[in-house]
Every structure is written in structure tokens, then in C-alpha cells.
Amino acid sequence: MRYVVIDRGDPYSKELVERFHKLAADKGFVRDDHEPEKVISIGGDGTMLHAFHKFTDRVSDISFVGIHTGHLGFFADWQAHELEELVEVMATSEPSYVRYPLVEIELETKAGTTNYTAVNEFTLKGVDGTLVAQININNELFEMFRGDGIVISTPSGSTAYNKSVGGAVIHPSISSLQIAEIASINNRVYRTLGSSVVLPQHHHCDIISKKEQRLLLTVDHLSIQRSDIQSVRCRVSDRKVCFARYRPFPFWNRVREAFMGYEVK
């Protein structure tokens, strides 16, 4: 098995990386930083997002395994003290594979078109004031928005920023994207639905800038500030991110443990 390890960068994570390399070598695993079969993330959910974006171009050919150095996250099945157990099970058993939807973003500016892919979410916010934008769904006007911003999330990202602004939590088996408002202003000119909207895989939405404005675009952990954004098209990607599961950890168990803290006895 060819693998690469991406870590958070702190001393504890780096120590775990060295231990993983030693254990992996004993099992005959081959370290391959360029064309791995498995990407091992050691750190937190942010580390997993960094790992994904490092290998976005090969996302259809690889799978990810997460080791969390704190509490279990949404992308990590294993904790630091289980490192030896993980390497052993990777060497002796075949995993099951789960695939989560991604969101494709097509950014239209005066300079041309740029494409991005998000695992969790894409957000658009005003820098100097409120965001003023027209929201189209399937090329037809849906609403005129004025407010702090818009969040477009994947199902796996529905538990992140989307949830904090009142969006719904959606199971990752549902190929969809969700549009959620951040502090919308409603009056006679700007009127929004006031709740999140879920679009199926074959639909798309456009966020069209309605004035000259500096905007902050974030794609997962990446931030881009521009003053020439004309529109952003969002749709469910044809590709999916793949996670290798060596033991069951259902999505709703992750939600329960993350937000309610209940553990099954």
C-alpha cells in the first residue's frame, strides 16, 4: 500500500507521524508523497481539509483516513492512542469505502473564470459592508439578498458554518448542496426566504454581485479577497471524496457525540 501523511504541524502531531512511518514500514507499507493510495491525516478536521486540497486533482483515485489528536472530529475515525491498532488493521483487513458529495464553484471575474472544489463549504461575504447579490436557481431569479453573506455547504459540511446560521444537518449519502443566509436584511427592496434551501444534484445556483464591492470568498480553509467578482455558480460535483473505514462510525453517531455528547453504553 502506498501512503502519505499530512499533519497539523505541531510537535505532538509530528511525533505521531514518525511513529506511523515506523509502524507502516514494519508492515511493508510504501511511503509515496506524490501518488499515494491512502492519505493519512493527523491533526484535526482542518488538517483533513488541507490534505484534501493538496490532492484535489487526484481525489477520484485516493481515499482518506483521519487520526484526531484531540476529540474525534467528523472526518476522523481514530484517536492518537489507537495508532498501533490502526496500522495493524490497515495491514490485515480491507476497509469499507464511503463517498461524500463535493461542491464545485465556478468564479466569474473580469479576468476570467476560476474553478474550486469544497469539501465542507463555500462562503461569500462583503468586506466593507453588506453583501448585495441576486440569487438565481437554475438560471431564474430566486431572491435579492442583502446581508452579511451566503454559505453554500455540502452535506458533510452541513454540521459546520451552515449549522451555526440555522441550516439543516443533512446526511452525506444525499448528493445535494445547501444555501444558507448569514444575517439577511429584509425590506421592500431586498426580500429573502429566510430559511436554508437544499438543492439536488442536478440543480445549480448563481450568486450575482449587484454592485461594485470588495468580497471575501472562502473555500473550506482557503480565503480569497477580490473586488472584481461578477458571479459565482455552485453545483454538486460529479466527483466525491472517499474515506476508508476500518470500523463503523455512522454519521449520526458523529453528530450525536459532537453536539450532544451522549455515548452509547
Side-chain angles (χ1 to χ4, degrees), residues 86-237:
L86 170 60
V87 174
E88 179 65 28
V89 76
M90 289 178 71
T92 58
S93 63
E94 283 295 317
S96 60
Y97 293 98
V98 297
R99 292 171 171 80
Y100 288 178
L102 302 169
V103 168
E104 295 284 351
I105 299 105
E106 185 178 286
L107 178 66
E108 187 73 33
T109 69
K110 294 177 182 177
T113 302
T114 308
N115 295 300
Y116 299 94
T117 305
V119 180
N120 263 0
E121 73 231 347
F122 146 76
T123 66
L124 192 65
K125 297 180 179 179
V127 174
D128 304 307
T130 55
L131 166 67
V132 179
Q134 177 176 323
I135 309 297
N136 286 5
I137 295 179
N138 297 339
N139 302 323
E140 294 191 1
L141 170 66
F142 183 71
E143 63 183 24
M144 297 297 296
F145 178 87
R146 182 175 183 180
D148 286 356
I150 295 288
V151 181
I152 306 291
S153 66
T154 66
S156 54
S158 67
T159 57
Y161 199 172
N162 169 77
K163 181 179 179 298
S164 72
V165 296
V169 175
I170 297 178
H171 195 279
S173 64
I174 302 172
S175 292
S176 60
L177 63 81
Q178 185 169 181
I179 310 168
E181 304 172 2
I182 309 172
S184 62
I185 298 170
N186 283 279
N187 53 35
R188 290 183 300 171
V189 179
Y190 300 98
R191 178 65 57 185
T192 64
L193 187 63
S195 66
S196 64
V197 176
V198 179
L199 301 186
Q201 185 166 13
H202 59 288
H203 289 195
H204 67 269
C205 72
D206 296 302
I207 306 172
I208 304 166
S209 178
K210 296 303 290 182
K211 68 171 187 177
E212 291 289 329
Q213 52 189 329
R214 284 199 302 160
L215 299 175
L216 177 65
L217 169 80
T218 62
V219 181
D220 292 331
H221 64 298
L222 308 174
S223 295
I224 303 148
Q225 184 173 307
R226 300 191 64 140
S227 57
D228 63 344
I229 295 177
Q230 297 172 327
S231 65
V232 185
R233 172 160 291 190
C234 311
R235 66 178 183 85
V236 179
S237 175

Side-chain angles (χ1 to χ4, degrees), residues 16-72:
L16 292 173
V17 171
E18 293 307 313
R19 286 174 54 197
F20 187 93
H21 285 320
K22 184 178 184 306
L23 292 166
D26 291 342
K27 297 296 184 183
F29 297 173
V30 177
R31 180 176 175 179
D32 187 336
D33 294 346
H34 303 291
E35 295 187 351
E37 298 170 273
K38 296 281 190 302
V39 178
I40 315 300
S41 168
I42 299 180
D45 282 348
T47 311
M48 180 64 81
L49 293 176
H50 176 73
F52 168 80
H53 283 277
K54 183 177 178 64
F55 290 97
T56 303
D57 293 341
R58 298 194 63 248
V59 71
S60 300
D61 304 317
I62 58 179
S63 58
F64 294 83
V65 179
I67 303 167
H68 212 298
T69 53
H71 300 291
L72 284 179

